[in-house]
Amino acid sequence: QQQVKQSPQSLIVQKGGISIINCAYENTAFDYFPWYQQFPGKGPALLIAIRPDVSEKKEGRFTISFNKSAKQFSLHIMDSQPGDSATYFCAAVSAGNMLTFGGGTRLMVKP
Amino acid sequence: EAQVTQNPRYLITVTGKKLTVTCSQNMNHEYMSWYRQDPGLGLRQIYYSMNVEVTDKGDVPEGYKVSRKEKRNFPLILESPSPNQTSLYFCASSSLGRGLGDTQYFGPGTRLTVL
């Protein structure tokens, strides 16, 4: 049973478009929500993260939106570029720094 | 350079032949963890360690062992590997100094195939 559900599994976006990846969680003990970016042959790397006391966090072209009541959060990539093509994982952190990952979204940005 | 290293990067073995995947970090991190990555399932935590001699089970610990005798090393041991342990394995580490949410740094991964 996955505690963090991620959708879609794959996404194709044209260059310059907006990529949107959604995640939902069940465990209310989660209180930190990072997003990881993974390129082929590499380990995941932290992209952006949010705590549930804010509804939105923006870093450059990447924005996390957080809806605590719905237990949902999403990643928006504005002006998507071919270099953004990667697999994206949402995650949720509980006590002891334990990460629970979503299933991943493979993003392809077409030139 | 701050990094997490894993060895080997690729391993093909046979059922039942004990193996160890090493993990080492040079950032003096307290927290270390092992994950396996399978298509459609994301990364699932196998074991984690909050400090030397302190280890605990993650979500999928069956068939794995770990040890934390030194702060920098956290080897993953498969005593009797089976084909369902064929996967991509990642080691990660982070500081616990600031409490929840410290960035976890991941190693480059070990692709294991058990025949």
Side-chain angles (χ1 to χ4, degrees), chain A residues 81-93:
Chain A
Q81 299 296 312
D84 297 330
S85 297
T87 299
Y88 293 80
F89 293 96
C90 63
V93 181

mmCIF file with all atom_site columns, all heavy atoms in Angstrom, chain A residues 81-93:
data_model
loop_
_atom_site.group_PDB
_atom_site.id
_atom_site.type_symbol
_atom_site.label_atom_id
_atom_site.label_alt_id
_atom_site.label_comp_id
_atom_site.label_asym_id
_atom_site.label_entity_id
_atom_site.label_seq_id
_atom_site.pdbx_PDB_ins_code
_atom_site.Cartn_x
_atom_site.Cartn_y
_atom_site.Cartn_z
_atom_site.occupancy
_atom_site.B_iso_or_equiv
_atom_site.pdbx_formal_charge
_atom_site.auth_seq_id
_atom_site.auth_comp_id
_atom_site.auth_asym_id
_atom_site.auth_atom_id
_atom_site.pdbx_PDB_model_num
ATOM 1  N N   . GLN A 1 81 ? 11.661 22.956 -20.204 1.00 0.00 ? 81 GLN A N   1
ATOM 2  C CA  . GLN A 1 81 ? 12.774 22.873 -21.147 1.00 0.00 ? 81 GLN A CA  1
ATOM 3  C C   . GLN A 1 81 ? 13.177 21.409 -21.362 1.00 0.00 ? 81 GLN A C   1
ATOM 4  O O   . GLN A 1 81 ? 12.994 20.579 -20.464 1.00 0.00 ? 81 GLN A O   1
ATOM 5  C CB  . GLN A 1 81 ? 13.961 23.665 -20.620 1.00 0.00 ? 81 GLN A CB  1
ATOM 6  C CG  . GLN A 1 81 ? 13.688 25.141 -20.420 1.00 0.00 ? 81 GLN A CG  1
ATOM 7  C CD  . GLN A 1 81 ? 13.388 25.850 -21.730 1.00 0.00 ? 81 GLN A CD  1
ATOM 8  O OE1 . GLN A 1 81 ? 14.099 25.700 -22.713 1.00 0.00 ? 81 GLN A OE1 1
ATOM 9  N NE2 . GLN A 1 81 ? 12.298 26.614 -21.738 1.00 0.00 ? 81 GLN A NE2 1
ATOM 10 N N   . PRO A 1 82 ? 13.773 21.103 -22.521 1.00 0.00 ? 82 PRO A N   1
ATOM 11 C CA  . PRO A 1 82 ? 14.227 19.723 -22.744 1.00 0.00 ? 82 PRO A CA  1
ATOM 12 C C   . PRO A 1 82 ? 15.148 19.216 -21.635 1.00 0.00 ? 82 PRO A C   1
ATOM 13 O O   . PRO A 1 82 ? 15.146 18.028 -21.310 1.00 0.00 ? 82 PRO A O   1
ATOM 14 C CB  . PRO A 1 82 ? 14.939 19.814 -24.097 1.00 0.00 ? 82 PRO A CB  1
ATOM 15 C CG  . PRO A 1 82 ? 14.227 20.921 -24.806 1.00 0.00 ? 82 PRO A CG  1
ATOM 16 C CD  . PRO A 1 82 ? 13.886 21.934 -23.724 1.00 0.00 ? 82 PRO A CD  1
ATOM 17 N N   . GLY A 1 83 ? 15.932 20.096 -21.040 1.00 0.00 ? 83 GLY A N   1
ATOM 18 C CA  . GLY A 1 83 ? 16.818 19.711 -19.942 1.00 0.00 ? 83 GLY A CA  1
ATOM 19 C C   . GLY A 1 83 ? 16.081 19.324 -18.673 1.00 0.00 ? 83 GLY A C   1
ATOM 20 O O   . GLY A 1 83 ? 16.691 18.773 -17.751 1.00 0.00 ? 83 GLY A O   1
ATOM 21 N N   . ASP A 1 84 ? 14.771 19.604 -18.621 1.00 0.00 ? 84 ASP A N   1
ATOM 22 C CA  . ASP A 1 84 ? 13.968 19.191 -17.473 1.00 0.00 ? 84 ASP A CA  1
ATOM 23 C C   . ASP A 1 84 ? 13.519 17.737 -17.595 1.00 0.00 ? 84 ASP A C   1
ATOM 24 O O   . ASP A 1 84 ? 12.931 17.187 -16.655 1.00 0.00 ? 84 ASP A O   1
ATOM 25 C CB  . ASP A 1 84 ? 12.714 20.069 -17.345 1.00 0.00 ? 84 ASP A CB  1
ATOM 26 C CG  . ASP A 1 84 ? 13.044 21.525 -17.082 1.00 0.00 ? 84 ASP A CG  1
ATOM 27 O OD1 . ASP A 1 84 ? 14.092 21.795 -16.459 1.00 0.00 ? 84 ASP A OD1 1
ATOM 28 O OD2 . ASP A 1 84 ? 12.255 22.396 -17.516 1.00 0.00 ? 84 ASP A OD2 1
ATOM 29 N N   . SER A 1 85 ? 13.750 17.140 -18.746 1.00 0.00 ? 85 SER A N   1
ATOM 30 C CA  . SER A 1 85 ? 13.340 15.744 -18.964 1.00 0.00 ? 85 SER A CA  1
ATOM 31 C C   . SER A 1 85 ? 14.060 14.850 -17.969 1.00 0.00 ? 85 SER A C   1
ATOM 32 O O   . SER A 1 85 ? 15.292 14.764 -17.948 1.00 0.00 ? 85 SER A O   1
ATOM 33 C CB  . SER A 1 85 ? 13.671 15.304 -20.390 1.00 0.00 ? 85 SER A CB  1
ATOM 34 O OG  . SER A 1 85 ? 12.939 16.066 -21.318 1.00 0.00 ? 85 SER A OG  1
ATOM 35 N N   . ALA A 1 86 ? 13.297 14.207 -17.119 1.00 0.00 ? 86 ALA A N   1
ATOM 36 C CA  . ALA A 1 86 ? 13.836 13.410 -16.018 1.00 0.00 ? 86 ALA A CA  1
ATOM 37 C C   . ALA A 1 86 ? 12.669 12.695 -15.351 1.00 0.00 ? 86 ALA A C   1
ATOM 38 O O   . ALA A 1 86 ? 11.511 12.866 -15.749 1.00 0.00 ? 86 ALA A O   1
ATOM 39 C CB  . ALA A 1 86 ? 14.551 14.304 -14.999 1.00 0.00 ? 86 ALA A CB  1
ATOM 40 N N   . THR A 1 87 ? 12.977 11.925 -14.348 1.00 0.00 ? 87 THR A N   1
ATOM 41 C CA  . THR A 1 87 ? 11.922 11.327 -13.523 1.00 0.00 ? 87 THR A CA  1
ATOM 42 C C   . THR A 1 87 ? 11.813 12.141 -12.241 1.00 0.00 ? 87 THR A C   1
ATOM 43 O O   . THR A 1 87 ? 12.827 12.457 -11.613 1.00 0.00 ? 87 THR A O   1
ATOM 44 C CB  . THR A 1 87 ? 12.229 9.859  -13.198 1.00 0.00 ? 87 THR A CB  1
ATOM 45 O OG1 . THR A 1 87 ? 12.311 9.117  -14.425 1.00 0.00 ? 87 THR A OG1 1
ATOM 46 C CG2 . THR A 1 87 ? 11.131 9.261  -12.336 1.00 0.00 ? 87 THR A CG2 1
ATOM 47 N N   . TYR A 1 88 ? 10.597 12.478 -11.872 1.00 0.00 ? 88 TYR A N   1
ATOM 48 C CA  . TYR A 1 88 ? 10.345 13.294 -10.693 1.00 0.00 ? 88 TYR A CA  1
ATOM 49 C C   . TYR A 1 88 ? 9.612  12.462 -9.645  1.00 0.00 ? 88 TYR A C   1
ATOM 50 O O   . TYR A 1 88 ? 8.656  11.740 -9.950  1.00 0.00 ? 88 TYR A O   1
ATOM 51 C CB  . TYR A 1 88 ? 9.523  14.529 -11.059 1.00 0.00 ? 88 TYR A CB  1
ATOM 52 C CG  . TYR A 1 88 ? 10.289 15.481 -11.929 1.00 0.00 ? 88 TYR A CG  1
ATOM 53 C CD1 . TYR A 1 88 ? 10.418 15.268 -13.299 1.00 0.00 ? 88 TYR A CD1 1
ATOM 54 C CD2 . TYR A 1 88 ? 10.945 16.580 -11.377 1.00 0.00 ? 88 TYR A CD2 1
ATOM 55 C CE1 . TYR A 1 88 ? 11.163 16.118 -14.094 1.00 0.00 ? 88 TYR A CE1 1
ATOM 56 C CE2 . TYR A 1 88 ? 11.687 17.444 -12.173 1.00 0.00 ? 88 TYR A CE2 1
ATOM 57 C CZ  . TYR A 1 88 ? 11.788 17.210 -13.522 1.00 0.00 ? 88 TYR A CZ  1
ATOM 58 O OH  . TYR A 1 88 ? 12.531 18.059 -14.313 1.00 0.00 ? 88 TYR A OH  1
ATOM 59 N N   . PHE A 1 89 ? 10.081 12.574 -8.424  1.00 0.00 ? 89 PHE A N   1
ATOM 60 C CA  . PHE A 1 89 ? 9.463  11.868 -7.310  1.00 0.00 ? 89 PHE A CA  1
ATOM 61 C C   . PHE A 1 89 ? 9.003  12.862 -6.266  1.00 0.00 ? 89 PHE A C   1
ATOM 62 O O   . PHE A 1 89 ? 9.789  13.715 -5.832  1.00 0.00 ? 89 PHE A O   1
ATOM 63 C CB  . PHE A 1 89 ? 10.452 10.905 -6.637  1.00 0.00 ? 89 PHE A CB  1
ATOM 64 C CG  . PHE A 1 89 ? 10.867 9.745  -7.484  1.00 0.00 ? 89 PHE A CG  1
ATOM 65 C CD1 . PHE A 1 89 ? 12.046 9.782  -8.217  1.00 0.00 ? 89 PHE A CD1 1
ATOM 66 C CD2 . PHE A 1 89 ? 10.097 8.599  -7.536  1.00 0.00 ? 89 PHE A CD2 1
ATOM 67 C CE1 . PHE A 1 89 ? 12.440 8.704  -8.993  1.00 0.00 ? 89 PHE A CE1 1
ATOM 68 C CE2 . PHE A 1 89 ? 10.482 7.510  -8.304  1.00 0.00 ? 89 PHE A CE2 1
ATOM 69 C CZ  . PHE A 1 89 ? 11.656 7.574  -9.037  1.00 0.00 ? 89 PHE A CZ  1
ATOM 70 N N   . CYS A 1 90 ? 7.756  12.755 -5.856  1.00 0.00 ? 90 CYS A N   1
ATOM 71 C CA  . CYS A 1 90 ? 7.360  13.459 -4.653  1.00 0.00 ? 90 CYS A CA  1
ATOM 72 C C   . CYS A 1 90 ? 7.664  12.548 -3.476  1.00 0.00 ? 90 CYS A C   1
ATOM 73 O O   . CYS A 1 90 ? 7.839  11.340 -3.636  1.00 0.00 ? 90 CYS A O   1
ATOM 74 C CB  . CYS A 1 90 ? 5.883  13.836 -4.687  1.00 0.00 ? 90 CYS A CB  1
ATOM 75 S SG  . CYS A 1 90 ? 4.733  12.441 -4.748  1.00 0.00 ? 90 CYS A SG  1
ATOM 76 N N   . ALA A 1 91 ? 7.765  13.146 -2.312  1.00 0.00 ? 91 ALA A N   1
ATOM 77 C CA  . ALA A 1 91 ? 8.054  12.368 -1.113  1.00 0.00 ? 91 ALA A CA  1
ATOM 78 C C   . ALA A 1 91 ? 7.437  13.059 0.086   1.00 0.00 ? 91 ALA A C   1
ATOM 79 O O   . ALA A 1 91 ? 7.060  14.242 0.024   1.00 0.00 ? 91 ALA A O   1
ATOM 80 C CB  . ALA A 1 91 ? 9.558  12.200 -0.918  1.00 0.00 ? 91 ALA A CB  1
ATOM 81 N N   . ALA A 1 92 ? 7.313  12.319 1.145   1.00 0.00 ? 92 ALA A N   1
ATOM 82 C CA  . ALA A 1 92 ? 6.817  12.864 2.401   1.00 0.00 ? 92 ALA A CA  1
ATOM 83 C C   . ALA A 1 92 ? 7.716  12.359 3.514   1.00 0.00 ? 92 ALA A C   1
ATOM 84 O O   . ALA A 1 92 ? 8.166  11.206 3.491   1.00 0.00 ? 92 ALA A O   1
ATOM 85 C CB  . ALA A 1 92 ? 5.371  12.440 2.632   1.00 0.00 ? 92 ALA A CB  1
ATOM 86 N N   . VAL A 1 93 ? 8.000  13.223 4.455   1.00 0.00 ? 93 VAL A N   1
ATOM 87 C CA  . VAL A 1 93 ? 8.928  12.898 5.530   1.00 0.00 ? 93 VAL A CA  1
ATOM 88 C C   . VAL A 1 93 ? 8.187  12.856 6.862   1.00 0.00 ? 93 VAL A C   1
ATOM 89 O O   . VAL A 1 93 ? 7.388  13.743 7.172   1.00 0.00 ? 93 VAL A O   1
ATOM 90 C CB  . VAL A 1 93 ? 10.062 13.941 5.603   1.00 0.00 ? 93 VAL A CB  1
ATOM 91 C CG1 . VAL A 1 93 ? 11.041 13.580 6.723   1.00 0.00 ? 93 VAL A CG1 1
ATOM 92 C CG2 . VAL A 1 93 ? 10.791 14.020 4.281   1.00 0.00 ? 93 VAL A CG2 1
#
